[in-house]
Amino acid sequence: MTPSAPAPHVDVATPERVALSLPVAGIGYRCLAWLVDASLLFFFWVALYFVITLLVSDVLGAFQALSGLTQTLLAVGLFATQWLYWTLAEVFFHGQTPGKRVMRIRVVREDGSPVGFFESAVRNLCRAVDFLPVLYATGCITMLLDSRHRRLGDLLAGTVLVREEAIDLDKYTQAPPADAAPGSTPGAGMQRPLDAEDVELVLAFLARARGLEPEVRQRLGARLVDRVGASLTDEERARVLQSAEATEAFLRTRAKAAH
């Protein structure tokens, strides 16, 4: 039997020397995410139309009575509203619209770095072309032909959609070994050397920390400090846990010292 081709992915190297392989979102994920976003936009326009009907009895007649220029501006405004929805959501919510968040996919640059305003603006401006002739036919054909399932807007903007894999948070909350409980002093106040498992846990946490909710980020960081900083005094521990940045700087130093 011929082995199946490997699934497309994006390789990312983090500053903590952790290699991540992000699976690319296929056309199915993208279509379902678009349906969620399109439904939200549809309900928004329905609600807006209902409000307008309360103010204007004959909406269609009022629209036809407008000049050609005004009708054109309204059509452009309709597209601009949708463009702003996708663009601002992707910029301010780290590459995710509500639909993408539901499907656990995210827009990133081709190197895996966060998408910026320029890339998001370009890829969403091209929706008008990807939609042609109807129902995103051009975009779907492009995604089927491209190895990373990118539509025309992604190709021009240099972006790709990746899937967010579930993170096993339990491994970060394992209790420290019995000989390294908080408050113990392994050897004249010296920190015990980290084993390979501890280094892997620390580096994996540092690679994912910014994508976690603040409360989860703080809690997991504290658990890791207890695990790898067993000889810290109460005062030192409080200083390390003052902020997420201080906690992660301590963990990064401990991991680097193990190399």
Side-chain angles (χ1 to χ4, degrees):
M1 295 180 61
T2 303
S4 58
H9 61 278
V10 176
D11 293 322
V12 182
T14 71
E16 288 77 24
R17 293 176 291 178
V18 177
L20 300 179
S21 183
L22 306 176
V24 171
I27 188 171
Y29 285 90
R30 299 184 63 146
C31 288
L32 291 175
W34 178 84
L35 284 174
V36 173
D37 289 319
S39 297
L40 291 176
L41 285 169
F42 173 77
F43 287 120
F44 167 78
W45 289 117
V46 169
L48 181 62
Y49 178 82
F50 176 75
V51 172
I52 294 175
T53 58
L54 297 178
L55 304 174
V56 181
S57 58
D58 186 6
V59 178
L60 181 59
F63 178 78
Q64 292 176 338
L66 297 174
S67 65
L69 177 61
T70 304
Q71 292 180 3
T72 301
L73 291 176
L74 285 175
V76 172
L78 176 66
F79 174 78
T81 301
Q82 299 183 78
W83 174 76
L84 285 172
Y85 168 83
W86 269 290
T87 300
L88 295 182
E90 290 175 356
V91 171
F92 289 106
F93 297 104
H94 310 292
Q96 288 185 311
T97 61
K100 293 182 179 69
R101 188 174 181 84
V102 169
M103 297 307 302
R104 299 184 63 83
I105 62 178
R106 185 185 302 272
V107 181
V108 297
R109 295 189 177 111
E110 290 182 333
D111 61 358
S113 60
V115 69
F117 178 81
F118 174 77
E119 293 86 4
S120 182
V122 170
R123 72 183 302 275
N124 287 304
L125 277 175
C126 290
R127 286 184 183 276
V129 179
D130 283 315
F131 190 82
L132 297 175
V134 289
L135 299 177
Y136 280 93
T138 299
C140 289
I141 293 173
T142 306
M143 282 188 281
L144 291 173
L145 295 177
D146 183 73
S147 60
R148 290 186 171 182
H149 308 300
R150 293 171 295 178
R151 59 180 177 83
L152 182 61
D154 291 311
L155 294 172
L156 293 178
T159 56
V160 63
L161 265 74
V162 297
R163 301 200 315 269
E164 292 186 328
E165 294 182 320
I167 301 174
D168 182 12
L169 299 180
D170 291 337
K171 67 180 181 180
Y172 299 114
T173 59
Q174 296 173 355
D179 61 346
S184 63
T185 307
M190 297 295 292
Q191 296 283 358
R192 70 178 179 87
L194 301 187
D195 56 27
E197 181 183 1
D198 287 338
V199 173
E200 181 183 357
L201 286 175
V202 169
L203 293 181
F205 169 74
L206 292 173
R208 296 175 169 89
R210 293 189 178 183
L212 300 175
E213 295 294 331
E215 181 181 350
V216 176
R217 181 179 180 181
Q218 180 181 8
R219 174 168 55 83
L220 296 182
R223 292 292 183 90
L224 281 177
V225 168
D226 289 339
R227 183 183 180 95
V228 305
S231 65
L232 291 175
T233 65
D234 291 341
E235 181 180 352
E236 290 171 337
R237 184 179 183 278
R239 187 164 57 250
V240 167
L241 297 179
Q242 277 184 342
S243 65
E245 291 74 16
T247 299
E248 289 155 25
F250 171 78
L251 294 174
R252 187 175 293 106
T253 301
R254 293 287 285 129
K256 288 181 178 179
H259 291 282

